[in-house]
Each structure stands twice: as C-alpha cells, then as structure tokens.
C-alpha cells in the first residue's frame, strides 16, 4: 500500500455524530447508484467517524465511529487514490477485515475526500452485499458526488474550526480577566495586610512603655480614634475565679479613666461578656439588633451604634479579659476590620500582662516583711 506521505490528523475535523447535510448526501448517493449503503468517512489517528451514513447497521448507526481495525477507508486515505472492488472477499488485504466479515461488505467503491490543503482525510464509499461490476458511469457519478462531499467537508470543517477559534479566544479572555481580577484582589489584600501590619506595629510601639492601666487606656484611646475612627473603647477584666467583669472606658470627648463600671458578669448576654466567655469576636451591627440579641446590652449600654467585641488573651496572667470597640454610626464589621481589632486586642493583652504582673509584684513587695540583713 503506497503512502501519500501525509500523516493522519490526530482528530477528525468533524465529531462522531450524524450530520444532516452528509446524511442527505449519503441517501442521494444510494438512490443515484442503487446501492445498499453509502458512507461519508473521516479517518484520523484516533479512528474513523461517519458524519454521513445511509444503510449503516447498528450499533454503528448510533455510534457513528469505528476503530481503524475495521477501516476499509484507510487504504484510500493512505494512497490518495480511489479503490474499486468487484468482490472485497477476493482482496488479500481486506477479505479477513471486520468490515467484510462482520458487515458483509462485498462490492465496494470509494473515492478520496481531501481537506483544504489537498490532503486525503476521508472517503465517500458505497457498498453492496453482492459482487458488482462498477460501470464507468457509476464511478464518474461517485467521483462527482465525492467532489461535492469534499467541498462541503472543507466548508464545515473551516466553519467548525472558526467557531472553536472564537470560543478559544473567548475562554482565553475570560481566563485572563479572572487572572487579572485575582491579581487585583491579591494586590488589594496585600495592601490591606500591609496596612494592618503598619497599624499593629504602631500600636505595639504605643503600648510598649505602658506600666499602668491608665497608660494602656491612653494607648487604646489614641489608636481607636485614629486610624479606626471609633468613638468608644471598653476594656473588661475578670480576675481569676471571679465572674464579675470590671470595665474601663475610653470615650470620645472624655479622657481615659480607670473608673471602674460594675454590674456586668461573664455569664451575661452582653457582647463583651460573650467574647470573653466564648473566646471569639462578637459583632453588633446596630444598637437595636444588639439589644435584641444581647439583652444585657440595654442595662449596660456601650454608647455606640455599631460595635465589635473580641477576647484578650493573657499569656502570663490567669485573668480573663476582653475589648469592645464602638462607632457612633452604623458600619460594616467585615473580616479586615475584625482582623485589625483582633490585632489590637493581642497587643493590649501583652501590655495588660506586664501591667497586672507589675501590680502583683508591687503589692507583694508592700505586704512582705523586710528581709533581714545578715551581719
């Protein structure tokens, strides 16, 4: 079998399904040549498909594809020349092929179909289950119909390729847009993270020299006014073994004070008590919603429209603590804001550790008897 020198394409230019145009052409071929079966066959490395068929038995009529092991078209595609057989059972290469044995192909004639580059990629074939001497008129008619099929194939293959190119470009545009959106989101997140880091560094520096609770409150007050723009900050502390939550306030227009507000307990339905008790951030979107969800908020008001309470973790002290930041207007309590307030609480916790331990040390020194000095 002489080769054309053209390598088979990886995939057929049309899919393995019935095509109305080629099915009509196959039916016309059967009528004009008075044959049992006519096929428009496309051959590739992956097998052969039948976009056009008339008289094709099942399951091939439904599948519209066969492996190359069943292909009688491969010789035509490989040589680029027509194949005309009076009786395929007498051909040494084809007589044992599945097409002859399983599909009972006897008389067979096939004309090559070329792509837009002139390379044979398929055939228009006719077959019967009885030997047949093909007349020159029949072969000429088959040749003309094959030329028509090739033109239709080229047009549809180009149209399909063009649609696929457009779809590929659209998919690439969508992917590029998503990548750009992701990059923008990553940039925004990186900027936000950098802002949070700068804020945390500033707060840490503010609180580093604090030695008293009043100095801690001063640091919190300056921080929550700018950059957070809050109007109130509450610091709650419950000593070890006590359910009483002592609260200190830093409010806009008033200097921070160590005046203790009493009457709040760790078991109360209050945002700060809940944050300390459950060790989680507790947002209050509005005063009305907050008082509905946390009844103790009504008798122990925060003095803000929106608020966010977070727990304070003390590493060196066994007391429990919490921080509540409030705004005089309704604002979105989103994840970045929660992260900033949580960072604030972390640094406040470090400062509280130092203050509480220092206070314990001073009390211990004041109550301890003097250490005798040996002579």
């Amino acid at each position: 079998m002489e080769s054309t020198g053209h390598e088979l394409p990886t995939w057929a230019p049309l899919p393995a399904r019935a095509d109305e145009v080629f099915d009509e052409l196959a039916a016309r071929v059967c009528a004009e040549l008075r044959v049992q079966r006519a096929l428009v066959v496309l051959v590739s490395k992956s097998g052969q498909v039948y976009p056009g068929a008339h008289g094709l038995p099942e399951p091939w009529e439904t599948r519209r594809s066969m492996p190359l092991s069943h292909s009688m078209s491969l010789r035509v595609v490989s040589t680029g020349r027509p194949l005309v057989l009076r009786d395929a059972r007498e051909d040494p290469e084809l007589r044992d092929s599945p097409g002859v044995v399983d599909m009972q192909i006897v008389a067979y004639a096939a004309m090559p179909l070329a792509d837009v580059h002139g390379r044979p990629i398929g055939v228009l074939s006719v077959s019967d289950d009885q030997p047949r001497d093909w007349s020159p008129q029949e072969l000429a008619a088959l040749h003309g119909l094959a030329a028509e099929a090739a033109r239709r194939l080229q047009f549809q293959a180009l149209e399909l390729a063009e649609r696929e190119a457009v779809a590929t470009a659209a998919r690439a545009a969508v992917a590029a847009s998503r990548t750009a959106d992701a990059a923008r989101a990553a940039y925004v997140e990186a900027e936000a993270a950098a802002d949070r880091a700068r804020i945390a560094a500033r707060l840490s520096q503010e609180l580093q020299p604090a030695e008293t609770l009043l100095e801690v409150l001063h640091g919190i007050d300056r921080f929550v006014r700018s950059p957070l723009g809050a109007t109130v900050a509450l610091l709650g502390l419950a000593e070890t073994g006590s359910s009483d939550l002592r609260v200190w306030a830093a409010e806009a227009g008033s200097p921070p004070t160590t005046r203790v507000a009493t009457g709040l307990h760790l078991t109360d339905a209050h945002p700060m008590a809940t944050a300390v008790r459950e060790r989680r951030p507790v947002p209050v979107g509005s005063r009305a919603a907050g008082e509905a969800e946390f009844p103790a908020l009504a008798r122990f008001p925060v003095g803000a429209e929106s608020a966010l309470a977070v727990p304070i973790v003390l590493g060196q002290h066994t007391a429990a603590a919490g921080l509540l930041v409030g705004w005089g207007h309704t604002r979105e309590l989103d994840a970045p804001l929660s992260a900033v307030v949580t960072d604030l609480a972390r640094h406040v916790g470090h400062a509280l550790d130092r203050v509480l331990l220092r206070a314990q040390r001073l009390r211990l020194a004041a109550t301890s008897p003097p250490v005798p000095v040996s002579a």
Side-chain angles (χ1 to χ4, degrees):
M1 184 168 59
E2 184 181 348
S3 173
T4 62
H6 297 306
E7 187 178 3
L8 286 177
T10 304
W11 302 101
L14 296 181
R17 62 170 178 262
D19 183 287
E20 183 179 356
V21 170
F22 288 115
D23 273 353
E24 290 178 356
L25 178 66
R28 183 150 59 90
V29 170
C30 285
E32 290 190 21
L33 273 68
R34 298 186 301 280
V35 292
Q36 290 181 327
R37 182 181 304 143
L39 301 174
V40 177
V41 186
L42 301 179
V43 180
S44 67
K45 292 178 181 179
S46 58
Q48 58 184 14
V49 299
Y50 302 100
H54 186 80
L56 188 64
E58 292 290 358
W60 314 116
E61 170 64 26
T62 300
R63 292 180 185 174
R64 291 295 176 124
S65 66
M66 288 184 188
L68 287 181
S69 59
H70 286 54
S71 178
M72 295 180 66
S73 307
L74 190 56
R75 182 192 295 186
V76 180
V77 174
S78 298
T79 63
R81 295 196 298 268
L83 177 62
V84 180
L85 299 173
R86 177 183 181 275
D87 190 337
R89 296 171 298 183
E90 297 175 355
D91 186 284
E93 293 182 7
L94 297 177
R95 62 189 176 194
D96 296 324
S97 69
V100 173
V101 176
D102 298 340
M103 300 177 66
Q104 299 180 344
I105 294 177
V106 180
Y108 180 80
M111 298 290 171
L113 303 178
D115 63 11
V116 292
H117 304 290
R119 296 175 298 193
I121 58 170
V123 303
L124 175 63
S125 69
V126 290
S127 61
D128 261 325
D129 61 359
Q130 299 295 324
R132 179 168 178 164
D133 293 312
W134 302 97
S135 69
Q137 293 79 10
E138 290 172 333
L139 296 178
L142 184 60
H143 183 272
L145 290 166
E148 180 183 340
R151 285 193 298 272
R152 293 188 179 186
L153 170 63
Q154 293 165 11
F155 179 80
Q156 289 191 216
L158 285 174
E159 191 178 55
L160 183 64
E162 186 177 0
R163 289 199 301 269
E164 180 56 32
V166 171
T168 299
R171 289 194 295 269
V174 170
S177 178
R178 288 175 177 169
T179 300
D181 290 343
R184 281 193 293 270
Y187 177 78
V188 170
E189 176 56 32
E191 284 290 301
D195 285 343
R196 292 196 295 269
R198 286 190 289 267
I199 290 171
R202 172 183 160 188
L203 176 65
S204 180
Q205 292 170 357
E206 289 264 1
L207 295 177
Q208 185 67 36
E211 293 185 350
T212 66
L213 187 57
L214 183 59
E215 291 174 343
V216 173
L217 287 171
H218 272 291
I220 295 173
D221 178 55
R222 286 192 296 269
F223 181 81
V224 298
R225 291 175 193 270
S226 175
L228 289 187
T231 56
V232 61
L234 304 182
L235 178 63
L237 182 67
E239 294 291 347
T240 305
S242 173
S243 65
D244 294 330
L245 194 62
R246 294 182 295 161
V247 180
W248 293 267
E251 300 182 45
S254 302
T257 175
T258 54
R259 179 175 54 83
V260 179
T262 59
L264 185 63
H265 305 283
L266 285 176
T267 55
D268 285 343
H270 187 278
M272 179 180 286
T274 303
V276 175
R277 185 175 65 249
E278 299 183 5
R279 297 298 181 111
R280 65 176 178 87
V282 178
V284 178
S286 68
R287 181 178 301 175
E291 291 182 357
E293 184 177 359
F294 303 102
L297 191 58
R299 63 180 175 82
F300 197 92
V302 172
E305 184 60 29
S306 295
L308 178 63
V310 295
I312 294 176
V313 177
L314 300 175
Q316 303 298 327
H317 198 275
T318 55
L323 177 70
L324 185 145
V325 178
W327 291 265
H329 58 278
T330 302
R331 67 163 297 167
E332 182 182 2
L333 304 174
D334 54 13
L337 179 63
S338 179
V340 170
V341 176
T342 299
D343 273 346
L344 168 61
R346 180 164 56 88
H347 290 286
V348 170
H350 297 328
L352 275 181
D353 262 335
R354 296 194 307 273
V355 168
L356 294 174
L357 291 171
R358 180 175 181 273
Q360 283 184 337
R361 178 170 54 80
L362 292 175
R363 285 197 300 270
L364 183 62
T367 58
S368 298
V371 179
V373 179
S374 57

